[in-house]
């Protein structure tokens, strides 16, 4: 598989690594599993910057307020994911996991309403923007994780 972008230094770097990764899938998968943990910490400042954009005209909040909000929300999501993972391992309770994750948007709505004191419509609109902006940021982090995983692959063919 070749990924040709027409930029020779990039093509010369990425093509041998992709070839190696396709023939050594276990090694590449292991590398991919290591990187998201390392870059997940970037979700907090990304979330804070997005919130800063959402509330740029509100002089009541500073960037550190958004960092605290982001840390609290991500902590809740981490706890929810951990709890959902544990519940999913119990036979017969795996169907509840999907319902459990409905708590995430409910928590975010109540959290945003409580902290930022905005109306229902504005909170929902900001949640929608926050969702899509975070999705774009998350996809960017996935691309970084794949690039980091490829960087651990040897450039030559083995």
């Amino acid at each position: 598989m070749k990924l040709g972008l027409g930029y020779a230094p990039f093509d010369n770097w990425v093509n041998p690594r992709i070839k190696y990764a396709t023939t050594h899938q276990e090694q590449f998968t292991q590398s991919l599993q290591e990187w998201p943990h390392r870059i997940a910490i970037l979700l907090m400042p990304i979330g804070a910057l997005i919130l800063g954009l959402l509330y740029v005209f509100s002089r009541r909040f500073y960037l550190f307020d958004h960092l605290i909000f982001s840390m609290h929300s991500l902590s809740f999501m981490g706890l929810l994911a951990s709890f959902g993972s544990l519940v999913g391992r119990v036979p017969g309770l795996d169907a509840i996991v999907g319902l459990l994750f409905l708590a995430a948007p409910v928590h975010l709505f109540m959290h945003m309403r409580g902290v930022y004191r905005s109306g229902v419509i504005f909170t929902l609109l900001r949640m929608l923007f926050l969702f899509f902006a975070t999705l774009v940021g998350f996809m960017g982090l996935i691309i970084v994780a794949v690039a980091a995983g490829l960087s651990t692959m040897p450039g030559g063919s083995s």
Side-chain angles (χ1 to χ4, degrees):
M1 172 187 222
K2 286 195 178 236
L3 182 69
L5 295 180
Y7 183 63
F10 176 77
D11 293 345
N12 293 338
W13 181 86
V14 77
N15 288 331
R17 284 168 175 77
I18 288 177
K19 183 178 178 184
Y20 185 87
T22 55
T23 58
H24 297 83
Q25 292 180 2
E26 273 186 42
Q27 184 181 354
F28 182 61
T29 301
Q30 182 180 3
S31 177
L32 279 182
Q33 290 174 351
E34 292 173 5
W35 279 101
H37 301 289
R38 296 177 184 173
I39 61 175
I41 194 69
L42 295 176
L43 288 174
M44 189 174 68
I46 289 172
L49 289 174
I50 294 168
L51 286 166
L53 288 174
L54 286 171
Y55 293 96
V56 70
F57 297 113
S58 179
R59 295 181 182 251
R60 295 181 299 161
F61 304 106
Y62 298 98
L63 190 57
F64 66 85
D65 296 316
H66 303 308
L67 280 168
I68 292 169
F69 181 94
S70 181
M71 183 173 52
H72 180 270
S73 292
L74 288 170
S75 297
F76 177 79
M77 288 302 299
L79 287 172
L80 189 64
S82 297
F83 185 68
S85 176
L86 290 174
V87 168
R89 293 177 188 253
V90 176
L93 293 181
D94 52 349
I96 295 175
V97 174
L99 292 174
L100 185 65
F101 283 103
L102 289 177
V106 171
H107 172 265
L108 183 62
F109 176 78
M110 295 181 73
H111 191 196
M112 286 180 82
R113 287 260 304 164
V115 170
Y116 296 113
R117 304 277 187 229
S118 54
V120 173
I121 300 298
F122 283 117
T123 301
L124 290 173
L125 289 174
R126 286 177 173 142
M127 278 180 62
L128 189 64
F129 180 81
L130 181 65
F131 172 75
F132 286 114
T134 304
L135 192 63
V136 169
F138 187 69
M139 286 188 290
L141 289 178
I142 289 174
I143 290 169
V144 168
V146 169
L150 281 174
S151 72
T152 63
M153 300 291 110
S157 59
S158 261

